[in-house]
């Protein structure tokens, strides 16, 4: 069974959705470890409640390369096949990313390449877009810039706030993250340039 390593810093609703997909038999994988850079992340409480292996790696005051080496050691010890960023609010060093080529996924609450970075639901509203959504992508050395595995779109309504739009997007995040993980774990894809294409088994 393929082993997932989850990295989170906060609420952890995407992590919970992944764990639920596994429990429901929609995703054939196991969560080998849940790692947080924040001891007070609610996602860590949820992981403990589920009896999962948890690792707390406080990042404050540790130089990035050094921190990422600790992170890699934790992931390698857990025998992780795929690393899933789930609201992990820290940039990863180039050496960490190069160590795991096509083995790190991220979920982002916009239709990339529109609105990379932070506070993107508010940015989508301010820009006046009529459609937004979410993106699961491989992590490369750029900001929210790697090859796209899956996207889902939602409407932006006239009376939306950042919160109401975020909630609509989050529902889709919870659905497509597990689907994207399943595709990547199956190996039934190939990459052509920036494109992630499904291949028949
Ligand atoms: C999500 O909106 C995700 O797209 C972004 O950070 C948020 C994390 O939410 N990267 P949660 O911690 O999974 O609830």
């Amino acid at each position: 069974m393929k082993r997932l390593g989850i990295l989170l810093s906060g609420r952890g609703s995407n992590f919970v959705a992944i764990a639920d997909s596994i429990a429901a038999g929609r995703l054939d994988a196991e969560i080998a470890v849940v790692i947080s850079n924040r001891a007070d992340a609610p996602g860590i409480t949820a992981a403990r409640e589920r009896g999962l292996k948890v690792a707390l790696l406080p990042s404050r005051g540790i130089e990035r390369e050094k921190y990422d080496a600790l992170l890699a050691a934790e992931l390698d010890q857990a025998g992780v096949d795929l690393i899933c960023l789930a609201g992990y609010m820290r940039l990863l060093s180039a050496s960490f990313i190069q160590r795991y080529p096509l083995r790190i996924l991220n979920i982002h609450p916009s239709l990339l390449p529109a609105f990379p970075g932070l506070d993107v639901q508010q940015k989508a509203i301010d820009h006046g877009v009529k459609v937004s959504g979410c993106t699961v992508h491989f992590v490369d050395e750029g900001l929210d810039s790697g090859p796209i595995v899956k996207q889902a779109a939602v409407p932006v309504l006239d009376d939306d706030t950042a919160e109401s739009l975020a909630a609509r997007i989050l529902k889709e995040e919870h659905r497509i993250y597990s689907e994207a993980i399943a595709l990547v774990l199956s190996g039934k894809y190939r990459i052509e340039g920036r494109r992630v294409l499904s291949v028949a088994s």
Side-chain angles (χ1 to χ4, degrees):
M1 178 118 42
K2 297 281 187 178
R3 294 166 71 78
L4 304 178
I6 309 276
L7 267 52
L8 56 79
S9 306
R11 183 176 53 185
S13 72
N14 276 289
F15 147 63
V16 168
I18 293 165
D20 286 349
S21 294
I22 292 172
R26 290 189 299 269
L27 177 58
D28 190 20
E30 62 187 305
I31 296 175
V33 65
V34 181
I35 303 176
S36 175
N37 61 321
R38 297 194 50 140
D40 59 353
I44 284 300
T45 311
R48 287 207 173 103
E49 280 167 10
R50 277 157 206 257
L52 294 170
K53 182 179 175 196
V54 161
L56 290 182
L57 289 180
S59 48
R60 191 162 297 171
I62 308 181
E63 187 248 331
R64 191 176 308 283
E65 291 281 337
K66 218 180 224 170
Y67 183 82
D68 284 359
L70 296 173
L71 202 55
E74 204 58 67
L75 290 161
D76 292 351
Q77 199 199 349
V80 163
D81 297 293
L82 183 67
I83 299 163
C84 301
L85 309 185
Y88 182 66
M89 302 304 287
R90 235 181 105 81
L91 291 174
L92 293 163
S93 58
S95 54
F96 183 92
I97 290 163
Q98 284 157 13
R99 187 182 175 119
Y100 302 104
L102 298 179
R103 285 174 62 202
I104 313 173
L105 289 178
N106 182 42
I107 183 134
H108 181 79
S110 77
L111 291 176
L112 291 169
F115 312 118
L118 295 174
D119 293 328
V120 296
Q121 296 92 345
Q122 188 61 53
K123 284 178 187 154
I125 291 172
D126 292 346
H127 195 86
V129 296
K130 302 299 184 192
V131 176
S132 190
C134 49
T135 304
V136 180
H137 63 93
F138 285 112
V139 173
D140 67 9
E141 289 171 46
L143 176 66
D144 300 324
S145 66
I148 292 169
V149 181
K150 271 193 187 280
Q151 290 186 305
V154 305
V156 180
L157 305 179
D158 288 353
D159 60 357
D160 262 332
T161 60
E163 290 69 34
S164 63
L165 178 58
R168 194 174 308 120
I169 292 172
L170 197 61
K171 252 193 178 163
E172 297 302 305
E173 293 187 35
H174 293 166
R175 183 175 62 81
I176 68 166
Y177 209 172
S178 293
E179 291 177 4
I181 292 167
L183 174 66
V184 170
L185 290 182
S186 77
K188 292 178 187 159
Y189 70 92
R190 66 193 161 87
I191 297 198
E192 253 179 41
R194 284 196 46 88
R195 304 183 75 200
V196 179
L197 305 172
S198 304
V199 295
S201 46

